[in-house]
Amino acid sequence: MGAPLMGSLSIGSPVRAQSWADIGDYSSLLRQAGTQTLVAKDCPSGLLGAFHAGRNALLLCSNNLQDDPAQVWTVLAHESAHVMQHCQQGPLLPDHEIGSALAQIEKQSMSSFQELRLYHQSQRRDEIEARLVQGLPMAEVKALFRGFCGNRLKRGAPKSTPAAGLGDG
């Protein structure tokens, strides 16, 4: 059973990751749920991250990201929304909340809203949800992840590729 996504929207400035420790803590939570976290230094230009459902692997592209925990957090939160969709085996939002989600994304970031046009219709809903999640405060993203993927959390987390080039604290 998933967590409510639209009901968790906050007013005001969201608290994003402030340190590499925040990034590491959330990455550990992803690994505890069985999602491999990888960092690549050779992604195509413009690609910041990706999620491969078949391999249950989340990728961050260090060659295209600034050495800034806030930017890395945004990409990590976005890609983790795709992990949540994978855990849910479908969308995070009910159909009737998509319009409200679009309005929220437009308020958060006009460029993020406009980028949605670049996606094929078959991918648009997933991207709407991911962009909504990337704009939420860190604590809410973690709570959503626990709500959507909590049944996958386990004690022993698989190893992760070191976050070379992204800083270590």
Side-chain angles (χ1 to χ4, degrees):
M1 174 184 239
L5 184 55
M6 289 299 290
S8 66
L9 295 178
S10 296
I11 304 298
S13 177
V15 177
R16 302 194 196 291
Q18 299 296 313
S19 70
W20 295 111
D22 291 340
I23 304 292
D25 288 347
Y26 190 61
S27 295
S28 291
L29 183 64
L30 291 166
R31 288 189 302 276
Q32 287 173 23
T35 300
Q36 189 177 17
T37 57
L38 307 167
V39 176
K41 297 178 183 179
D42 59 352
C43 293
S45 178
L47 181 64
L48 302 178
F51 174 65
H52 189 283
R55 294 185 177 159
N56 195 17
L58 186 149
L59 174 71
L60 295 175
C61 298
S62 66
N63 60 308
N64 296 324
L65 290 169
Q66 299 170 10
D67 192 23
D68 172 18
Q71 185 193 35
V72 173
W73 168 255
T74 298
V75 175
L76 183 61
H78 177 102
E79 297 306 333
S80 75
H82 295 307
V83 176
M84 292 179 224
Q85 292 161 340
H86 180 65
C87 291
Q88 183 74 1
Q89 297 181 340
L92 306 179
L93 289 171
D95 292 342
H96 70 276
E97 290 184 4
I98 293 297
S100 297
L102 280 168
Q104 182 67 25
I105 293 165
E106 187 175 19
K107 278 196 282 186
Q108 289 172 350
S109 167
M110 182 55 80
S111 63
S112 190
F113 177 77
Q114 291 172 339
E115 288 169 0
L116 289 168
R117 293 180 295 160
L118 303 174
Y119 290 90
H120 185 271
Q121 185 64 35
S122 65
Q123 297 173 305
R124 204 162 288 147
R125 182 191 184 110
D126 288 349
E127 289 303 317
I128 289 168
E129 292 175 345
R131 278 171 172 66
L132 184 63
V133 169
Q134 80 185 33
L136 293 174
M138 181 175 49
E140 291 182 26
V141 174
K142 287 181 178 181
L144 286 171
F145 185 81
R146 285 186 178 99
F148 286 113
C149 299
N151 62 332
R152 296 181 180 204
L153 291 173
K154 54 186 181 268
R155 289 202 181 262
K159 296 281 184 194
S160 173
T161 302
L166 292 179
D168 56 357

